[in-house]
Amino acid sequence: MNNPAARDHRRVPVPLLDLQAQYGSLEKEVMAEIKEVIDSQRFIMGPKVTALEESIAAYCQCEFGIGVSSGTDALLIALMALEIGPGDEVITTPYTFFATGGCIARVGARPIFCDIDPVSYNISPTGISSWIESNTDEENGRLVNRSTGGTVKALMPVHLFGQTADMGPILELAQRYDLRVIEDAAQAIGAEYTDGSRAGSMGDIGCFSFFPSKNLGAFGDGGMCTTKDADIAERLRVLRAHGSKPKYYHALIGGNFRLDALQAAILSVKLKYLDRWTEGRQKNATYYDAALSEIPGVLTTPSRTTGQRHIYNQYVMRVRDRDGLREHLSAANIGNEVYYPVPLHMQQCFSSLGYQPEDCPESARAARETIAIPIYPELDDDQKSSVVTALADYCS
Ligand SMILES: *Cc1c(COP(=O)(O)O)cnc(C)c1O
């Protein structure tokens, strides 16, 4: 290029996420679907929900999809379907959205927090195995926590920020100790582990969220459970509608965990574009990776594990003076967020579990040092270069 000025970009404000940009291109198609549902006056279950369940199951390499009211309810109903309750314990990560640990406690079970791998931010399989080795005994086929007397029943890995947890060794542990596996795949629809398996297809149940800020977002709340097991699928379906089967006969106590037909119709439209959006997010991540690698020393860009498909629900960097960078970016009108400032083992509501910050030091450190920047697929060149310029200013 002989005119360097032509490459200069304007500095523009950049929101963390801009859902208007996506809606603009979908309005006609989505409104037609919404009208169809409204014209039918069929709002609860029905063909739109079934169609979405089938296409999400196929997208996630599963036989069955069960639409539910949110990602949180997907986790809750998964625990209920596997009969996890009082006296049971579930191993999970403390570095996640609250719902992961909250649902374990809500069914009356005890969350056991095992620390993360500091590079991927996902739960560390060696952390799980060393916790099991030093804290449990195998008694009559049960894995008993020596200090509480509770039975360890399940593992709940989270595929954080759009990249799957290290599922190979996690599934080996599950097999060795006869544990169930519930995948919190709320941030990872379409993500692939190194063997090509998609998030939500590797454990007993996969749990997805259609919260608007997820890669596949509804116009409100929604979620989905996926499974390859016909019996589990049937239990999930029954539990979703108050445990009723046939109608008004209750062998199980369930709840109202249904996905709205309107949301299902909207999501079916959006699912067609999901791979294109994922590619956009990956391209943005590649752009940031390259641009930020030229800024010396201060920022650690997110790792992309070789051979995995990372869907970049978030682009999360690590920086020593995170709060200083936050202030700088906000002053420059660059959207940013901290996922998450307080790890679950340090949340007040879990204080009775008796954790100290140093019990999961990498989670505590990640909570102090991480920051997310805009990664949504509709970012234009001016916006991306504005983000990088603001980061370069901070680092200089
Ligand atoms: C978003 C999210 C949830 C909860 O999903 P909702 O649909 O908001 O209830 C659970 N776990 C993780 C990791 C999430 O990111």
Side-chain angles (χ1 to χ4, degrees):
M1 255 187 240
N2 46 21
N3 176 10
R7 291 197 307 253
D8 283 350
H9 291 287
R10 293 181 307 126
R11 283 209 192 199
V12 293
V14 189
L16 184 66
L17 176 64
D18 180 5
L19 291 171
Q20 294 286 352
Q22 184 186 81
Y23 178 60
S25 67
L26 295 175
E27 181 174 356
K28 258 182 129 172
E29 226 179 324
V30 165
M31 290 309 282
E33 279 291 312
I34 290 175
K35 184 169 187 318
E36 204 183 309
V37 174
I38 292 175
D39 287 347
S40 78
Q41 290 291 299
R42 183 132 191 218
F43 298 116
I44 303 294
M45 302 307 294
K48 297 287 183 195
V49 173
T50 310
L52 181 74
E53 289 175 339
E54 283 170 5
S55 44
I56 295 279
Y59 189 81
C60 298
Q61 301 171 343
C62 282
E63 269 83 275
F64 307 100
I66 297 89
V68 294
S69 28
S70 68
T72 303
D73 287 343
L75 294 167
L76 192 62
I77 201 173
L79 289 158
M80 292 166 73
L82 299 179
E83 296 180 273
I84 290 165
D88 296 334
E89 307 194 347
V90 179
I91 297 174
T92 192
T93 165
Y95 189 58
T96 177
F97 179 61
F98 177 73
T100 317
C103 288
I104 296 169
R106 283 174 68 193
V107 297
R110 182 185 189 89
I112 301 289
F113 296 117
C114 283
D115 209 1
I116 55 167
D117 167 73
V119 175
S120 70
Y121 304 111
N122 280 319
I123 193 166
S124 154
T126 49
I128 301 174
S129 63
S130 62
W131 183 85
I132 291 177
E133 277 159 26
S134 39
N135 292 281
T136 66
D137 295 313
E138 291 186 74
E139 289 173 14
N140 312 320
R142 293 192 311 138
L143 192 62
V144 178
N145 180 340
R146 228 174 282 128
S147 55
T148 62
T151 308
V152 182
K153 279 261 182 82
L155 304 175
M156 195 185 267
V158 178
H159 306 312
L160 202 68
F161 303 144
Q163 187 160 244
T164 58
D166 191 3
M167 291 303 287
I170 289 173
L171 295 172
E172 269 173 40
L173 286 169
Q175 193 143 45
R176 176 165 356 134
Y177 296 107
D178 193 23
L179 303 172
R180 313 309 292 264
V181 176
I182 298 172
E183 298 174 67
D184 183 340
Q187 300 183 6
I189 189 163
E192 289 174 8
Y193 186 54
T194 40
D195 66 356
S197 299
R198 289 213 160 169
S201 72
M202 294 174 273
D204 296 282
I205 303 176
C207 300
F208 293 90
S209 165
F210 304 129
F211 186 79
S213 69
K214 305 293 158 94
N215 288 28
L216 181 64
F219 289 5
D221 282 306
M224 181 86 58
C225 290
T226 53
T227 182
K228 294 176 170 173
D229 182 312
D231 295 332
I232 290 175
E234 177 61 11
R235 283 182 69 81
L236 288 166
R237 267 187 225 109
V238 171
L239 286 165
R240 164 176 65 181
H242 296 289
S244 155
K245 193 191 178 185
K247 204 172 182 185
Y248 305 128
Y249 291 80
H250 301 261
L252 302 172
I253 302 171
N256 176 356
F257 297 121
R258 291 179 299 253
L259 175 67
D260 278 349
L262 271 170
Q263 300 298 349
I266 293 160
L267 289 162
S268 285
V269 171
K270 292 181 103 181
L271 180 59
K272 293 186 285 182
Y273 301 96
L274 182 57
D275 283 332
R276 201 178 307 169
W277 294 332
T278 296
E279 268 169 47
R281 287 171 181 270
Q282 290 167 337
K283 278 190 189 139
N284 293 343
T286 302
Y287 172 91
Y288 283 144
D289 288 348
L292 300 179
S293 73
E294 300 187 357
I295 304 176
V298 184
L299 304 169
T300 307
T301 54
S303 77
R304 193 188 311 209
T305 307
T306 315
Q308 296 201 6
R309 182 180 194 230
H310 193 328
I311 63 145
Y312 288 100
N313 177 244
Q314 300 295 346
Y315 186 92
V316 174
M317 304 175 304
R318 188 192 281 276
V319 56
R320 194 68 61 77
D321 176 27
R322 191 269 314 282
D323 295 337
L325 176 59
R326 264 210 104 172
E327 245 171 74
H328 173 84
L329 289 179
S330 299
N333 285 312
I334 303 298
N336 62 84
E337 188 54 86
V338 172
Y339 302 108
Y340 297 88
V342 183
L344 301 194
H345 74 295
M346 292 166 71
Q347 291 289 351
Q348 189 184 346
C349 66
F350 290 136
S351 61
S352 63
L353 297 175
Y355 284 96
Q356 298 301 316
E358 59 272 20
D359 290 333
C360 300
E362 289 300 344
S363 299
R365 188 164 72 90
R368 285 193 305 273
E369 296 185 344
T370 55
I371 184 166
I373 56 172
I375 190 69
Y376 62 91
E378 296 83 6
L379 284 172
D380 65 27
D381 291 349
D382 281 345
Q383 290 175 314
K384 277 184 280 191
S385 77
S386 297
V387 173
V388 170
T389 305
L391 289 168
D393 288 349
Y394 170 80
C395 296
S396 64

Short mmCIF file of all heavy atoms in Angstrom, two decimals, residues 309-331:
data_model
loop_
_atom_site.label_atom_id
_atom_site.label_comp_id
_atom_site.label_asym_id
_atom_site.label_seq_id
_atom_site.Cartn_x
_atom_site.Cartn_y
_atom_site.Cartn_z
N ARG A 309 -11.94 -27.24 18.63
CA ARG A 309 -12.69 -26.14 18.01
C ARG A 309 -13.17 -25.23 19.13
O ARG A 309 -14.05 -25.59 19.90
CB ARG A 309 -13.88 -26.69 17.23
CG ARG A 309 -14.68 -25.61 16.51
CD ARG A 309 -15.86 -26.23 15.75
NE ARG A 309 -16.45 -25.30 14.80
CZ ARG A 309 -17.76 -25.03 14.74
NH1 ARG A 309 -18.60 -25.62 15.57
NH2 ARG A 309 -18.23 -24.20 13.85
N HIS A 310 -12.55 -24.07 19.21
CA HIS A 310 -12.88 -23.05 20.21
C HIS A 310 -13.93 -22.14 19.59
O HIS A 310 -13.72 -21.62 18.49
CB HIS A 310 -11.59 -22.27 20.53
CG HIS A 310 -11.65 -21.40 21.75
ND1 HIS A 310 -12.79 -20.77 22.18
CD2 HIS A 310 -10.68 -21.05 22.64
CE1 HIS A 310 -12.53 -20.07 23.28
NE2 HIS A 310 -11.24 -20.23 23.58
N ILE A 311 -15.04 -21.96 20.27
CA ILE A 311 -16.10 -21.12 19.66
C ILE A 311 -16.14 -19.70 20.23
O ILE A 311 -17.02 -18.92 19.90
CB ILE A 311 -17.48 -21.79 19.77
CG1 ILE A 311 -17.90 -21.96 21.25
CG2 ILE A 311 -17.52 -23.13 19.03
CD1 ILE A 311 -19.37 -21.80 21.47
N TYR A 312 -15.18 -19.38 21.10
CA TYR A 312 -15.01 -18.00 21.58
C TYR A 312 -16.31 -17.33 22.01
O TYR A 312 -16.68 -16.29 21.47
CB TYR A 312 -14.29 -17.14 20.54
CG TYR A 312 -12.83 -17.50 20.42
CD1 TYR A 312 -12.37 -18.32 19.38
CD2 TYR A 312 -11.91 -17.06 21.37
CE1 TYR A 312 -11.03 -18.68 19.30
CE2 TYR A 312 -10.58 -17.41 21.29
CZ TYR A 312 -10.15 -18.21 20.25
OH TYR A 312 -8.84 -18.55 20.17
N ASN A 313 -16.98 -17.92 22.99
CA ASN A 313 -18.08 -17.17 23.59
C ASN A 313 -17.51 -15.90 24.24
O ASN A 313 -18.15 -14.85 24.24
CB ASN A 313 -18.82 -18.01 24.63
CG ASN A 313 -19.93 -17.24 25.32
OD1 ASN A 313 -19.89 -16.99 26.53
ND2 ASN A 313 -20.90 -16.80 24.56
N GLN A 314 -16.31 -16.03 24.78
CA GLN A 314 -15.60 -14.86 25.29
C GLN A 314 -14.13 -14.94 24.87
O GLN A 314 -13.59 -16.03 24.71
CB GLN A 314 -15.67 -14.79 26.82
CG GLN A 314 -17.08 -14.69 27.39
CD GLN A 314 -17.80 -13.42 27.02
OE1 GLN A 314 -17.19 -12.46 26.56
NE2 GLN A 314 -19.11 -13.41 27.21
N TYR A 315 -13.53 -13.75 24.71
CA TYR A 315 -12.09 -13.65 24.50
C TYR A 315 -11.53 -13.06 25.79
O TYR A 315 -11.72 -11.86 26.06
CB TYR A 315 -11.78 -12.75 23.30
CG TYR A 315 -10.32 -12.70 22.89
CD1 TYR A 315 -9.82 -13.58 21.93
CD2 TYR A 315 -9.45 -11.79 23.47
CE1 TYR A 315 -8.48 -13.54 21.56
CE2 TYR A 315 -8.11 -11.74 23.11
CZ TYR A 315 -7.64 -12.62 22.14
OH TYR A 315 -6.31 -12.58 21.77
N VAL A 316 -10.86 -13.91 26.57
CA VAL A 316 -10.47 -13.51 27.92
C VAL A 316 -8.95 -13.49 28.04
O VAL A 316 -8.28 -14.49 27.79
CB VAL A 316 -11.09 -14.47 28.96
CG1 VAL A 316 -10.57 -14.16 30.36
CG2 VAL A 316 -12.61 -14.35 28.93
N MET A 317 -8.44 -12.31 28.41
CA MET A 317 -6.99 -12.15 28.58
C MET A 317 -6.68 -12.11 30.07
O MET A 317 -7.55 -11.86 30.90
CB MET A 317 -6.54 -10.82 27.98
CG MET A 317 -6.90 -10.66 26.52
SD MET A 317 -6.44 -9.01 25.94
CE MET A 317 -7.32 -7.97 27.07
N ARG A 318 -5.39 -12.31 30.35
CA ARG A 318 -4.91 -12.19 31.73
C ARG A 318 -3.94 -11.02 31.80
O ARG A 318 -3.11 -10.85 30.90
CB ARG A 318 -4.20 -13.50 32.11
CG ARG A 318 -3.82 -13.61 33.56
CD ARG A 318 -2.88 -14.78 33.74
NE ARG A 318 -3.54 -16.08 33.76
CZ ARG A 318 -4.10 -16.63 34.84
NH1 ARG A 318 -4.13 -15.98 35.97
NH2 ARG A 318 -4.62 -17.84 34.78
N VAL A 319 -4.05 -10.21 32.85
CA VAL A 319 -3.16 -9.07 33.03
C VAL A 319 -3.02 -8.80 34.52
O VAL A 319 -4.00 -8.89 35.27
CB VAL A 319 -3.69 -7.83 32.26
CG1 VAL A 319 -5.10 -7.47 32.68
CG2 VAL A 319 -2.77 -6.64 32.41
N ARG A 320 -1.78 -8.52 34.95
CA ARG A 320 -1.51 -8.36 36.38
C ARG A 320 -2.40 -7.27 36.99
O ARG A 320 -3.14 -7.52 37.93
CB ARG A 320 -0.01 -8.02 36.55
CG ARG A 320 0.56 -8.11 37.93
CD ARG A 320 0.65 -9.52 38.52
NE ARG A 320 1.47 -10.49 37.82
CZ ARG A 320 2.81 -10.54 37.84
NH1 ARG A 320 3.50 -9.63 38.50
NH2 ARG A 320 3.44 -11.49 37.21
N ASP A 321 -2.38 -6.07 36.40
CA ASP A 321 -3.17 -4.95 36.92
C ASP A 321 -4.52 -4.91 36.18
O ASP A 321 -4.81 -3.98 35.44
CB ASP A 321 -2.40 -3.63 36.73
CG ASP A 321 -3.23 -2.42 37.16
OD1 ASP A 321 -4.10 -2.57 38.03
OD2 ASP A 321 -2.98 -1.33 36.62
N ARG A 322 -5.32 -5.93 36.40
CA ARG A 322 -6.58 -6.05 35.67
C ARG A 322 -7.50 -4.84 35.92
O ARG A 322 -8.10 -4.31 34.97
CB ARG A 322 -7.27 -7.35 36.07
CG ARG A 322 -8.46 -7.75 35.24
CD ARG A 322 -9.79 -7.26 35.72
NE ARG A 322 -10.02 -7.41 37.13
CZ ARG A 322 -10.36 -8.55 37.73
NH1 ARG A 322 -10.51 -9.64 37.04
NH2 ARG A 322 -10.56 -8.58 39.03
N ASP A 323 -7.62 -4.42 37.17
CA ASP A 323 -8.55 -3.33 37.45
C ASP A 323 -8.09 -2.02 36.81
O ASP A 323 -8.93 -1.23 36.37
CB ASP A 323 -8.74 -3.18 38.96
CG ASP A 323 -9.42 -4.42 39.55
OD1 ASP A 323 -10.10 -5.14 38.78
OD2 ASP A 323 -9.25 -4.68 40.75
N GLY A 324 -6.77 -1.84 36.71
CA GLY A 324 -6.24 -0.67 36.01
C GLY A 324 -6.60 -0.70 34.53
O GLY A 324 -7.02 0.30 33.95
N LEU A 325 -6.45 -1.87 33.92
CA LEU A 325 -6.80 -2.01 32.50
C LEU A 325 -8.29 -1.80 32.28
O LEU A 325 -8.72 -1.16 31.31
CB LEU A 325 -6.38 -3.40 31.98
CG LEU A 325 -6.77 -3.70 30.53
CD1 LEU A 325 -6.18 -2.68 29.57
CD2 LEU A 325 -6.35 -5.11 30.13
N ARG A 326 -9.09 -2.30 33.20
CA ARG A 326 -10.54 -2.12 33.10
C ARG A 326 -10.90 -0.64 33.03
O ARG A 326 -11.68 -0.21 32.19
CB ARG A 326 -11.23 -2.67 34.36
CG ARG A 326 -11.74 -4.04 34.25
CD ARG A 326 -12.95 -4.25 35.13
NE ARG A 326 -14.14 -4.25 34.29
CZ ARG A 326 -15.35 -4.56 34.72
NH1 ARG A 326 -15.54 -4.90 35.98
NH2 ARG A 326 -16.38 -4.53 33.89
N GLU A 327 -10.30 0.12 33.96
CA GLU A 327 -10.58 1.55 34.01
C GLU A 327 -10.16 2.23 32.71
O GLU A 327 -10.89 3.05 32.17
CB GLU A 327 -9.79 2.17 35.17
CG GLU A 327 -10.65 2.72 36.27
CD GLU A 327 -9.81 3.11 37.47
OE1 GLU A 327 -9.12 4.15 37.37
OE2 GLU A 327 -9.83 2.36 38.47
N HIS A 328 -8.98 1.84 32.23
CA HIS A 328 -8.46 2.43 30.99
C HIS A 328 -9.39 2.12 29.81
O HIS A 328 -9.73 3.01 29.02
CB HIS A 328 -7.05 1.89 30.73
CG HIS A 328 -6.50 2.29 29.40
ND1 HIS A 328 -5.87 3.50 29.18
CD2 HIS A 328 -6.52 1.63 28.20
CE1 HIS A 328 -5.52 3.57 27.91
NE2 HIS A 328 -5.89 2.45 27.30
N LEU A 329 -9.81 0.88 29.69
CA LEU A 329 -10.69 0.50 28.56
C LEU A 329 -12.04 1.20 28.66
O LEU A 329 -12.58 1.68 27.66
CB LEU A 329 -10.88 -1.02 28.52
CG LEU A 329 -9.67 -1.85 28.09
CD1 LEU A 329 -10.01 -3.34 28.11
CD2 LEU A 329 -9.18 -1.45 26.70
N SER A 330 -12.59 1.23 29.85
CA SER A 330 -13.90 1.86 30.02
C SER A 330 -13.82 3.34 29.66
O SER A 330 -14.72 3.87 29.00
CB SER A 330 -14.41 1.67 31.44
OG SER A 330 -14.55 0.28 31.71
N ALA A 331 -12.72 4.00 30.06
CA ALA A 331 -12.55 5.42 29.72
C ALA A 331 -12.43 5.60 28.22
O ALA A 331 -12.82 6.64 27.67
CB ALA A 331 -11.31 5.98 30.43
#
